[in-house]
Amino acid sequence: MRRDQEVDVQVRPGREAVVRVAVATLWTSPDAVRPVDRPALSVPVDVAAWIAGLDTDQRVGDCVLSQLLLGERVLVTGIRPDGWAHVVAVEQQAARLDPRGYPGWLPVDQLAPATPLPDTVPLVVDVPVTALHDTPDGPAALPGVVLGTRLTSAGPAHAGWHPVLPPGHADPLWLPATHAVPLPTGTPPPQRALDVARRLGDVVYIWGGVSAYGIDCSGLVHLAWRRLGVDLPRDADDQAAATTPLRLGTERPGDLYFFARPGRHIHHIGIVTAEPAGDDRRMLHACYRKRRVLEERLPADRTATLVAVHRV
């Protein structure tokens, strides 16, 4: 076994750790994991194989809470003898669940100890999926790294490749220099988030998904803004609380539509794709019913449950 594939025994309850696999899935409970989920539990993970092995109903099962990308920070709150860690994902706000972040379970060997980072401008992955390599043009050491993943630069680009320092690896790995850009600062115009989200068109719907392999409605919004350096909460109702309400009819591309049934919490979110023309509205969203990311005119039942429009 390679040194950087060993479980790091320094991951401890009460300390922060970081995700060391391309995409870590956050589970409701270790007991909720199904045999079909095995590719999502390994090191390295194979998210593509995991999703390909799920049937339509398994893709919307309630065993998945969220997903965390390579390098995301968590607070470890407990570790079971069988190797499962209970964590709080501190970069995914979830006020209703835990004021510290999104709570859930993942395999402890998908984590590495949090260490001080060099004082460099972070990079962010700007393609749907890439891989980190042992050497420029060398074999892939960490496949499946997705859009919105933040990486620590290990120096300037060389011959079209950029060195980075991913968690759990003693030496720098390399990715094509065109696959990452400096992490933006400030709040960009909403149109830019729409442009990012459109690059995920036709990605399959996965309940709790936050990656270019599979995603849900609030995950799409969270990931698009994460790519732009803005950390929105994970779930739709928390995203509503963190954004600015607008008067219906004044929305512009990149704003957010929220949906709720009478007397219920917000259950769905979409990204505005066009200025409204009377009652004719359009949005891009990860659609539970059609099981993919798509852009469409709001059908009558969506219009009936449209309760708000907000702006980041």
Side-chain angles (χ1 to χ4, degrees):
M1 179 179 289
R2 288 172 43 172
R3 175 186 171 191
D4 59 17
Q5 291 180 324
E6 295 174 355
V7 175
D8 195 318
V9 296
Q10 297 179 58
V11 174
R12 291 282 188 268
R15 298 182 183 177
E16 280 201 355
V18 290
V19 172
R20 72 184 190 103
V21 294
V23 180
T25 299
L26 197 65
W27 306 89
T28 57
S29 164
D31 300 327
V33 175
R34 308 154 296 188
V36 73
D37 299 321
R38 187 176 301 276
L41 307 176
S42 58
V43 179
V45 297
D46 191 340
V47 178
W50 172 55
I51 291 176
L54 300 176
D55 63 30
T56 301
D57 291 336
Q58 290 169 333
R59 290 179 179 179
V60 296
D62 58 4
C63 56
V64 174
L65 291 169
S66 187
Q67 289 182 314
L68 291 74
L69 307 188
L70 175 69
E72 274 202 57
R73 295 180 298 115
V74 301
L75 173 64
V76 180
T77 57
I79 299 177
R80 297 196 338 179
D82 61 0
W84 281 89
H86 187 268
V87 303
V88 174
V90 299
E91 296 180 41
Q92 297 188 19
Q93 303 166 44
R96 289 188 302 108
L97 302 175
D98 191 312
R100 300 169 297 179
Y102 217 107
W105 293 87
L106 49 71
V108 70
D109 61 0
Q110 293 186 344
L111 299 174
T115 57
L117 298 176
D119 187 18
T120 59
V121 176
L123 301 174
V124 61
V125 173
D126 193 39
V127 293
V129 180
T130 188
L132 306 185
H133 299 252
D134 282 319
T135 59
D137 287 320
L142 208 166
V145 177
V146 298
L147 178 77
T149 299
R150 297 170 185 176
L151 299 169
T152 301
S153 174
H158 174 73
W161 291 79
H162 206 124
V164 295
L165 292 169
H169 291 256
D171 300 315
L173 298 180
W174 298 78
L175 82 162
T178 57
H179 287 190
V181 297
L183 184 69
T185 58
T187 303
Q191 175 69 53
R192 289 195 59 197
L194 172 60
D195 294 341
V196 173
R198 276 180 164 151
R199 291 157 60 187
L200 299 172
D202 285 327
V203 168
V204 298
Y205 185 100
I206 296 291
W207 182 270
V210 190
S211 88
Y213 289 111
I215 205 159
D216 67 14
C217 64
S218 55
L220 177 66
V221 173
H222 175 86
L223 187 62
W225 282 98
R226 178 181 175 85
R227 155 63 186 87
L228 300 175
V230 177
D231 291 332
L232 286 185
R234 171 62 181 87
D235 289 343
D237 50 355
D238 291 320
Q239 290 170 348
T243 51
T244 302
L246 303 173
R247 181 171 54 84
L248 197 63
T250 64
E251 62 266 30
R252 297 293 180 267
D255 292 334
L256 304 173
Y257 284 137
F258 291 93
F259 302 85
R261 298 179 182 89
R264 305 290 296 274
H265 289 296
I266 288 169
H267 68 270
H268 191 61
I269 184 172
I271 304 174
V272 178
T273 60
E275 295 184 16
D279 291 332
D280 188 354
R281 293 182 166 87
R282 297 188 63 83
M283 71 174 177
L284 178 78
H285 64 138
C287 182
Y288 178 95
R289 300 166 184 170
K290 298 181 180 177
R291 300 293 201 268
R292 63 185 178 92
V293 176
L294 57 89
E295 182 176 348
E296 65 178 352
R297 180 181 183 273
L298 267 64
D301 58 339
R302 289 288 188 202
T303 299
T305 57
L306 175 62
V307 293
V309 57
H310 287 207
R311 180 169 295 161
V312 176

